[in-house]
Amino acid sequence: MLGGGDPRRMSMDVDAAAQLSINSRALVVSAPALSHVGEDIPYMVPRQDMQNGAHNQQAESISNNSKKLQDDLHELGEKIKHHEDNVKYLKTLKNKLEESILEMQVALGKYDKASFSRTVNKDPALVKSEEETIDHILKHENSAAALLSRMKSQAEALSSDHSLTKDVIGIVATLGKVDDDNLSRLFSEHLGLETMLAVVCKTYEGVKALEAYNKEGSIDKNSGLHAFAASIGRPLADRFLVICLEDIRPYSGEIIADDPQRRLTLLKPRLLNGEHPPGFLGFAVNMITIDSTNLYCFSKNGHSLRETLFYHLFSDLQVYKSREDMLNALSCIRNGAISLDGGMIRSRGVFSLGHHQGDIDVKFPTTSQKLNLPESYFGIEVGLKEMKWKKDRTMEDMQREQALLAHARVNYETKKREFLQFLARSSSHVSQYPAGRASTPR
């Protein structure tokens, strides 16, 4: 009998067992002597020859089946070795990444211990905290954004149904900041209130957790966000936007080298004469400041919020100093533009005219503080985010390989039992034809 152990050793044992079983009872079959006494007398195949022929065919079938089973075992053994090698490599990679993460954390700790000066903007009109933005979100009491913000702030609610929020990154308005209150108003107006209140999820599983449906296709009010809304007496009646990063086509270009904010390398517009348009200030997507906690690797494929969410929202929306500059650059505006004095082109050929009445209450917060830190600090911070993301992906790959390895081992053991049973049956069959019994008819 074959024992457990290394599949490669098992394959060698199986090969030996197969040869022993089939060759130990070699079949001696002689070809029948053919003699024609006369042309009118038909040749009669002796019964013994018929038996020998059938036996030869069955022996050949046994040999073919044995070879196939041995080949299957060999292939499964190779698969096991392949997955074992992958698991070994991924474990080594994980250990190296953990060492790199530790080194970077130590390096950042040294910066934290040093005293860096802070420059704080004292202008009250420019100080816009994230707490104030959340307060404005909460005023939209029956919105999904307000409900999720309330869940996030209420530990009891969060712990009661963690599945609702575990894949939610946040609300659009809370995921970025800008340096200027006027830009905050313009960006928010361009996106609109519904988009500013949109919920951002990492995967489609997170989207499904927010809302479920019954067999009739109606919304199940006893699950998801609707159940929480009902529990606090604020039914969620209106539609709400959910943005799924997993399903967004990310920015496919390059990232600006050594930029702590990982801004996108977008080509500046050019007029027909080849010159850059006067008054062009940049692209809206690169004017969003993203906190270090949200800066890197939020999608499953490792793309940042700037490459997914904000590129999806703004694309290459251009920003100009004045409406006049923007209109003079019409020939090189493809996906819209805004100007600091309130001009707005929604898309090519679509203009927003007149003056904005009132103010959008839900806006991006403005950056109120800037640390006077060296560029190397931000470089290490970004590198640390990248290392942590790579470690997470490596862990996922390792779990997948371990599952495949376990499955391959189960298949190998099943195939090995099948082969041993086949050997037992074939040995019993061959024993019916002792060596030397088959011969030519007399």
Side-chain angles (χ1 to χ4, degrees):
M1 294 300 292
L2 302 178
D6 187 347
R8 287 162 284 183
R9 178 63 180 270
M10 293 177 190
S11 294
M12 297 171 60
D13 294 342
V14 167
D15 291 343
Q19 293 297 325
L20 179 63
S21 174
I22 294 176
N23 294 335
S24 62
R25 300 180 182 275
L27 304 176
V28 181
V29 182
S30 302
L34 302 179
S35 60
H36 296 272
V37 177
E39 294 183 359
D40 294 332
I41 301 175
Y43 173 70
M44 303 296 293
V45 179
R47 181 169 182 174
Q48 184 66 37
D49 289 351
M50 295 176 64
Q51 291 176 345
N52 288 341
H55 177 55
N56 288 340
Q57 291 179 358
Q58 193 143 13
E60 183 178 357
S61 175
I62 291 173
S63 178
N64 290 338
N65 289 337
S66 175
K67 184 177 184 308
K68 183 180 183 306
L69 288 170
Q70 290 179 77
D71 289 343
D72 290 344
L73 279 170
H74 179 74
E75 182 180 349
L76 288 170
E78 289 297 316
K79 284 185 177 180
I80 290 174
K81 182 179 182 302
H82 172 73
H83 294 308
E84 286 176 340
D85 291 343
N86 284 349
V87 170
K88 183 179 179 181
Y89 166 76
L90 290 169
K91 284 182 177 179
T92 302
L93 178 59
K94 179 181 75 73
N95 292 335
K96 290 181 178 179
L97 289 170
E98 287 177 343
E99 291 176 3
S100 298
I101 289 171
L102 181 60
E103 290 174 359
M104 289 180 177
Q105 287 173 335
V106 170
L108 288 179
K110 293 178 181 179
Y111 280 109
D112 291 338
K113 293 175 183 178
S115 62
F116 293 101
S117 61
R118 295 174 180 264
T119 57
V120 182
N121 197 330
K122 297 294 184 180
D123 187 349
L126 299 179
V127 177
K128 197 73 171 179
S129 68
E130 187 175 348
E131 288 75 16
E132 288 176 315
T133 299
I134 292 175
D135 287 342
H136 286 298
I137 291 174
L138 292 175
K139 290 179 181 178
H140 297 267
E141 296 180 346
N142 294 328
S143 69
L147 290 169
L148 286 170
S149 297
R150 192 169 281 109
M151 286 187 72
K152 188 175 181 180
S153 62
Q154 295 177 3
E156 293 181 1
L158 183 62
S159 61
S160 64
D161 194 357
H162 181 61
S163 62
L164 262 182
T165 57
K166 68 176 182 179
D167 208 29
V168 173
I169 297 173
I171 310 303
V172 168
T174 65
L175 295 176
K177 293 183 175 69
V178 293
D179 294 334
D180 180 90
D181 190 62
N182 185 46
L183 273 180
S184 175
R185 179 184 61 80
L186 290 169
F187 287 173
S188 302
E189 182 185 350
H190 175 80
L191 294 179
L193 180 61
E194 186 180 28
T195 300
M196 291 297 290
L197 293 174
V199 180
V200 181
C201 287
K202 188 182 299 185
T203 66
Y204 183 59
E205 291 301 316
V207 178
K208 292 194 293 184
L210 294 175
E211 187 170 271
Y213 308 93
N214 56 32
K215 294 181 179 180
E216 289 74 31
S218 300
I219 296 174
D220 183 356
K221 299 296 181 65
N222 297 316
S223 65
L225 194 57
H226 294 273
F228 175 73
S231 69
I232 61 174
R234 298 185 185 280
L236 186 62
D238 296 334
R239 287 185 178 273
F240 59 96
L241 287 184
V242 181
I243 300 175
C244 177
L245 298 188
E246 184 179 42
D247 292 336
I248 289 178
R249 177 177 294 179
Y251 167 74
S252 59
E254 299 295 325
I255 306 298
I256 296 177
D258 301 323
D259 180 15
Q261 274 287 310
R262 294 180 57 82
R263 293 178 177 86
L264 313 182
T265 305
L266 298 172
L267 294 177
K268 292 182 179 180
R270 290 184 182 274
L271 298 171
L272 297 178
N273 61 8
E275 298 291 331
H276 296 303
F280 173 73
L281 299 178
F283 296 97
V285 67
N286 283 337
M287 293 182 176
I288 296 289
T289 299
I290 302 175
D291 289 340
S292 59
T293 54
N294 295 335
L295 187 60
Y296 193 84
C297 298
F298 257 105
S299 76
K300 291 180 67 175
N301 296 324
H303 297 288
S304 66
L305 285 181
R306 194 183 308 280
E307 297 169 87
T308 53
L309 173 65
F310 290 113
Y311 186 72
H312 171 75
L313 295 177
F314 291 113
S315 186
D316 56 354
L317 179 73
Q318 300 173 17
V319 181
Y320 288 86
K321 185 176 180 180
S322 69
R323 182 183 279 105
E324 181 181 2
D325 292 330
M326 181 181 70
L327 295 177
N328 288 334
L330 279 177
S331 62
C332 54
I333 295 175
R334 295 184 304 169
N335 295 313
I338 59 176
S339 64
L340 298 185
D341 57 1
M344 189 171 294
I345 298 175
R346 293 286 180 180
S347 59
R348 193 178 185 92
V350 180
F351 301 84
S352 288
L353 302 180
H355 293 285
H356 176 69
Q357 298 296 323
D359 198 7
I360 293 180
D361 58 344
V362 179
K363 298 182 291 187
F364 291 109
T366 55
T367 52
S368 58
Q369 292 185 343
K370 291 183 179 179
L371 283 176
N372 187 22
L373 293 169
E375 289 295 316
S376 56
Y377 178 91
F378 298 104
I380 295 173
E381 195 174 52
V382 170
L384 180 60
K385 291 286 182 182
E386 183 175 0
M387 288 297 113
K388 287 182 177 179
W389 174 81
K390 286 182 178 179
K391 179 189 171 184
D392 290 342
R393 299 289 81 75
T394 300
M395 292 294 293
E396 290 178 3
D397 291 342
M398 190 162 65
Q399 290 174 358
R400 182 170 59 253
E401 284 295 329
Q402 288 172 335
L404 291 171
L405 174 60
H407 183 67
R409 283 174 172 165
V410 170
N411 287 344
Y412 184 91
E413 290 300 321
T414 301
K415 184 63 68 173
K416 187 179 73 173
R417 286 195 296 271
E418 181 183 345
F419 182 65
L420 291 174
Q421 291 170 0
F422 168 80
L423 290 181
R425 290 195 303 270
S426 61
S427 177
S428 173
H429 172 77
V430 171
S431 66
Q432 299 175 14
Y433 296 87
R437 286 292 301 276
S439 62
T440 56
R442 298 180 181 178

